Amino acid sequence: MLRDSCSRLISAFFTPVSLLCTASLLTTGLRCVRGMQVTSTSPQTIQKAEGESVTLGCSYTPSPSDTGELDIEWTAVSPDSTQTDQMLMSYTSGTTHIHGNHAPAKGLSFAATDPSLGDASISIALLSPAHSATYQCKVRKPPGVDSSKVSLVVLVNPSVPECWVEGAELVGEAVSLCCKSEKGSTPLKYSWRREGAGPSPAATTQNSMTGELRINNHSQSLAGFYLCEVNNAVGAEHCRINLKAKKPPNRAAVIVGTGVGSLLLIFILLVFIGILYWKLSNRHRFEEEFSNDIRC
């Protein structure tokens, strides 16, 4: 009787423990099984200039339990979560497929000759701003599946800027040198320097955002060729202009000339009025004499 009670007590104690150990072993076993692993070999965000090429890295390692058919998909992720992603390119049963004729799909190709050997990277030739997107690489080999994402930003080089002068370029007066690039990804930064003299003179102020170089008090020492450079993250362009320093007109001569001109204008006006008065007087006298002759 005592032996049976001890047996039941030992059994009641060890059964939950054995179940717990079994569950632990099963859990440990599940953790040891690794499925498909996809790794991006590119930075999370890539910046490239228009016209360049780029490779979006995507390598994968299937597990021994992944025995199904290999399927590789590249999609452009929609910024709107309510919209479906755009399928761009796929690899299934040893065949590469290009999906659609939309801009991001143009120029795409697998970087590796055989993507089934663990390299699903793609190359894009002749980049354009339309290629800017977040790309997703998804690899399936049932039951394993994994994916990675990379963002591509295609920037436009600045166009050759236009340089011009605002102001009369007179000594002692204000004048501005202006610089403007019509194309290019923002932010665009402008900088002026005088050729052969390093940075722009201390007597000038410039705005790196608008491209204006301001001179409040122009002088002969500030005349010469100036170079404006515009740049952004992917390139730079420049233009040059010749700033002249013209002597202002003689103010005394201008005042005298204005006075003489005014007097001459008044004189001409008086002569015209005198001639008009003389003509009207002669006409009136002629009409009176002609009237008297008729009465006679």
Side-chain angles (χ1 to χ4, degrees):
M1 193 67 182
L2 180 61
R3 183 180 299 174
D4 293 340
S5 299
C6 290
S7 298
R8 285 195 296 268
L9 181 61
I10 293 171
S11 175
F13 176 77
F14 280 104
T15 298
V17 173
S18 61
L19 290 174
L20 180 62
C21 291
T22 303
S24 177
L25 288 171
L26 287 173
T27 304
T28 305
L30 288 175
R31 286 177 181 170
C32 291
V33 175
R34 297 183 62 186
M36 174 70 70
Q37 296 290 314
V38 172
T39 305
S40 174
T41 56
S42 301
Q44 288 186 338
T45 301
I46 300 175
Q47 287 189 345
K48 285 287 185 177
E50 182 181 22
E52 293 184 345
S53 60
V54 69
T55 297
L56 306 182
C58 177
S59 61
Y60 63 92
T61 305
S63 73
S65 62
D66 296 335
T67 57
E69 185 178 2
L70 177 66
D71 180 38
I72 301 172
E73 293 181 354
W74 277 93
T75 56
V77 179
S78 174
D80 186 351
S81 59
T82 63
Q83 301 296 320
T84 57
D85 299 338
Q86 277 188 336
M87 177 75 76
L88 303 177
M89 195 174 186
S90 64
Y91 178 87
T92 307
S93 302
T95 304
T96 300
H97 302 276
I98 302 295
H99 300 270
N101 193 32
H102 36 267
K106 293 182 179 179
L108 268 65
S109 63
F110 280 104
T113 305
D114 188 357
S116 67
L117 300 180
D119 186 4
S121 304
I122 59 171
S123 296
I124 309 175
L126 294 175
L127 289 170
S128 70
H131 286 112
S132 295
T134 297
Y135 292 80
Q136 177 176 262
C137 170
K138 180 181 287 187
V139 182
R140 295 189 186 91
K141 193 172 185 183
V145 59
D146 197 11
S147 64
S148 67
K149 294 180 181 179
V150 57
S151 294
L152 174 63
V153 180
V154 180
L155 302 175
V156 179
N157 283 308
S159 60
V160 176
E162 179 186 0
C163 288
W164 73 95
V165 178
E166 288 188 353
E169 300 175 89
L170 298 177
V171 172
E173 295 189 3
V175 64
S176 292
L177 301 183
C178 300
C179 180
K180 182 68 175 179
S181 184
E182 293 297 331
K183 294 181 180 179
S185 298
T186 57
L188 294 174
K189 184 179 179 181
Y190 298 88
S191 61
W192 282 95
R193 64 181 176 87
R194 190 177 176 186
E195 286 191 346
S200 57
T204 65
T205 57
Q206 58 176 306
N207 188 320
S208 62
M209 302 301 294
T210 63
E212 180 188 15
L213 179 71
R214 178 77 175 177
I215 301 173
N216 291 320
N217 187 15
H218 193 25
S219 65
Q220 288 286 349
S221 63
L222 296 176
F225 283 94
Y226 286 77
L227 187 77
C228 171
E229 182 177 271
V230 54
N231 62 76
N232 62 7
V234 291
E237 288 290 349
H238 68 273
C239 61
R240 64 196 295 264
I241 194 169
N242 184 17
L243 176 64
K244 300 175 182 178
K246 303 174 183 178
K247 290 184 179 181
N250 191 323
R251 298 187 182 278
V254 171
I255 294 173
V256 171
T258 302
V260 171
S262 299
L263 291 175
L264 183 59
L265 181 62
I266 294 172
F267 175 75
I268 292 173
L269 184 60
L270 291 175
V271 170
F272 176 75
I273 293 173
I275 293 173
L276 182 62
Y277 177 78
W278 177 75
K279 284 188 175 183
L280 291 174
S281 298
N282 286 345
R283 182 179 177 182
H284 182 67
R285 187 167 54 251
F286 175 77
E287 288 177 352
E288 286 183 351
E289 291 179 353
F290 182 74
S291 177
N292 291 333
D293 292 341
I294 292 176
R295 289 176 183 175
C296 294

